[in-house]
């Protein structure tokens, strides 16, 4: 299980327990273990009603695809974003969700998506987290190219991708999201 760390965040693997709790409760707390020992080996994380935003609609389908006993959704590619400085009392707070939208294609391409709670927009968390995610994905042997799509005219999301080294590759249309701009980040 990969736990990614940036100066201001931790990216914790998305788990069955997180998804089930969110489907059952609009707000909840979970003890999220890092493994090992020491003061940072586990933490209490508060999941506010704003978490995970748009991906909530996909949670029932994700749960249905998990095998019996499988705890992590995609342990190397799907994460819950926790800000080290965003606290609810003495608990850390989940501020977003990011990771793969599917599996790696035969050509080594993996699409990602991300969304943060509105309370933390425009604070640089998305850029920091997406940068860490992309760097991590490029360490996986099977991932050669990371791709993403943004809603046309969503300048904030476009800036996140530009700052993390993505380039525009074109446009497409989605029944769910309408007109999209497509992006790619090649393994260096």
């Amino acid at each position: 299980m990969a736990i990614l760390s940036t100066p201001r965040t931790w990216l914790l693997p998305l788990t069955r327990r997180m998804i089930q709790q969110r489907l059952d409760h609009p707000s909840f707390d979970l003890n999220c273990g890092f493994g090992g020992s020491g003061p940072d080996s586990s933490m209490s994380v508060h999941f506010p009603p704003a978490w995970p935003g748009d991906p909530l609609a996909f949670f029932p389908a994700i749960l249905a695809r998990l095998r019996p006993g499988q705890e992590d959704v995609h342990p190397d590619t799907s994460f819950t974003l926790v800000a080290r400085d965003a606290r609810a009392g003495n608990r850390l707070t989940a501020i977003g969700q990011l990771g793969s939208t599917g599996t790696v294609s035969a050509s080594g391409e993996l699409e990602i998506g991300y969304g943060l709670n509105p309370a933390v927009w425009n604070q640089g968390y998305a850029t920091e987290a997406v940068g860490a995610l992309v760097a991590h994905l490029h360490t996986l042997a099977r991932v050669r190219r990371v791709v993403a799509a943004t809603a046309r005219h969503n300048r904030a999301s476009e800036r996140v991708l530009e700052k993390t080294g993505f380039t525009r590759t074109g446009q497409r249309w989605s029944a769910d999201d309408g007109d999209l701009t497509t992006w790619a980040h090649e393994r260096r």
Side-chain angles (χ1 to χ4, degrees):
M1 165 172 35
I3 296 173
L4 308 180
S5 178
T6 75
R8 298 186 305 151
T9 68
W10 282 297
L11 283 72
L12 306 178
L14 178 64
T15 66
R16 175 191 300 267
R17 207 165 50 135
M18 290 173 186
I19 292 172
Q20 191 61 60
Q21 285 290 327
R22 181 58 182 91
L23 290 174
D24 294 343
H25 309 284
S27 178
F28 61 96
D29 295 337
L30 276 180
N31 185 19
C32 298
F34 277 54
S37 60
D40 291 334
S41 64
S42 70
M43 69 173 76
S44 179
V45 177
H46 176 67
F47 293 78
W51 181 86
D54 292 341
L56 181 61
F58 301 106
F59 277 8
I62 292 170
L63 275 183
R65 286 192 306 263
L66 293 178
R67 295 180 311 274
Q70 180 183 356
E71 178 60 18
D72 294 334
V73 174
H74 297 114
D76 290 326
T77 64
S78 292
F79 298 89
T80 295
L81 183 61
V82 175
R84 295 178 187 219
D85 60 356
R87 295 194 176 268
N90 62 354
R91 304 156 305 189
L92 296 170
T93 300
I95 61 167
Q97 187 68 32
L98 69 161
S100 64
T101 62
T103 58
V104 182
S105 73
S107 65
E109 190 170 277
L110 181 64
E111 184 170 359
I112 64 165
Y114 52 91
L116 275 64
N117 303 356
V120 298
W121 286 357
N122 300 313
Q123 296 178 33
Y125 288 110
T127 300
E128 192 172 319
V130 169
L133 174 65
V134 170
H136 167 71
L137 294 175
H138 281 310
T139 69
L140 305 177
R142 62 192 188 278
V143 177
R144 303 234 178 277
R145 183 178 202 220
V146 178
V147 297
T150 57
R152 195 97 41 89
H153 309 298
N154 181 344
R155 189 64 189 133
S157 195
E158 290 177 345
R159 288 290 299 142
V160 167
L161 296 176
E162 289 168 351
K163 289 178 186 178
T164 55
F166 280 78
T167 56
R168 282 178 212 261
T169 58
Q171 298 176 352
R172 74 173 194 225
W173 186 84
S174 159
D176 293 328
D177 300 313
D179 291 325
L180 301 171
T181 300
T182 57
W183 303 80
H185 191 286
E186 303 291 337
R187 181 185 283 180
R188 298 193 200 309

